[in-house]
């Protein structure tokens, strides 16, 4: 098990060493502004959909019964962006926000029920896209500790992956995180300094691993707070 975990860790750090700086996102929002576009990734295939393109698709309006706060907002269904091959239990999706927030995996039968909100209740384009799911759909714990349906501001990406891969990575993640934080300190600092945009980083800690990438907390002497950063595969 130890040898396998070490091989996994070396593989992850090899992947990250080849990435470019634009693949890093920080929760401070300094590295990436909220965009009016989103990407869908599956393996090496990537498609981008702008807000203007999404508004051309059939719109669904959020009702007051579904959400008093978002009543009147309009968007298109995520399902219209997926080809038929993905619409089965073999696949799940992870949503990534422009500030680096990553959702837990969402099974495809629930993912297709989500809306990409692009127009406000007063019929004006929103500053950024928003992923919203009806009540009792895609229920998971939020970053602030509450439990509810996914409601993700600043939607930037949807990553589609095989559920077996997602499960295997979830099982391996605790060991990978321990090894990364105890053995690969130099590599972590190189990632934070070279890829995440913190050249003066003095301390880095891996807090999560998913198909979206590594989530790090970074400390730097010129920064007042710790920053949570997503470095993607």
């Amino acid at each position: 098990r130890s040898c396998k975990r070490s091989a996994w860790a070396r593989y992850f750090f090899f992947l990250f060493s080849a990435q470019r700086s634009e693949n890093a996102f920080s929760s401070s929002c300094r590295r990436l502004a909220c965009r009016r576009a989103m990407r869908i990734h599956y393996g090496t295939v990537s498609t981008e959909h702008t807000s203007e393109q999404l508004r051309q698709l059939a719109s669904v309006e959020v009702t007051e019964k579904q959400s008093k706060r978002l009543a009147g907002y309009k968007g298109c269904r995520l399902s219209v962006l997926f080809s038929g091959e993905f619409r089965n239990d073999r696949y799940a999706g992870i949503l990534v926000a422009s500030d680096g927030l990553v959702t837990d995996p969402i099974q495809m039968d629930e993912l297709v029920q989500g809306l990409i909100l692009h127009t406000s209740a007063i019929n004006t384009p929103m500053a950024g896209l928003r992923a919203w799911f009806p009540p009792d759909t895609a229920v998971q714990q939020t970053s602030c500790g509450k439990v509810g349906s996914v409601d993700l501001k600043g939607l930037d990406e949807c990553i589609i992956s095989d559920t077996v891969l997602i499960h295997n990575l979830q099982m391996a993640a605790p060991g990978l995180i321990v090894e990364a934080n105890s053995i690969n300190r130099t590599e972590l600092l190189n990632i934070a300094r070279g890829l995440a945009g913190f050249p003066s980083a003095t301390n880095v800690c891996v807090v999560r691993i998913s198909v979206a990438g590594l989530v790090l907390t970074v400390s730097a002497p010129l920064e007042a707070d710790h920053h949570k950063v997503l470095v993607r595969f």
Side-chain angles (χ1 to χ4, degrees), residues 167-216:
H167 173 73
N168 289 343
L169 186 52
Q170 286 177 323
M171 295 296 291
L176 290 172
I177 290 172
V178 169
E179 180 163 348
N181 289 328
S182 60
I183 298 176
N184 298 289
R185 307 298 297 177
T186 301
E187 289 89 342
L188 287 176
L189 282 171
N190 288 339
I191 289 171
R193 292 168 179 170
L195 301 180
F198 290 91
S200 59
T202 56
N203 189 49
V204 184
C205 181
V206 178
V207 294
R208 184 178 180 182
I209 297 175
S210 74
V211 295
L214 284 180
V215 178
L216 314 173

Side-chain angles (χ1 to χ4, degrees), residues 4 81 89 104 110 124 138 143 175 213:
K4 287 183 179 180
L81 305 180
D89 293 341
D104 291 333
E110 293 196 324
T124 58
S143 58

Side-chain angles (χ1 to χ4, degrees), residues 125-143:
M126 294 166 56
L129 299 175
R130 183 171 187 160
W132 177 85
F133 287 78
D136 303 319
T137 306
V139 176
Q140 51 188 251
Q141 190 170 12
T142 66
S143 58

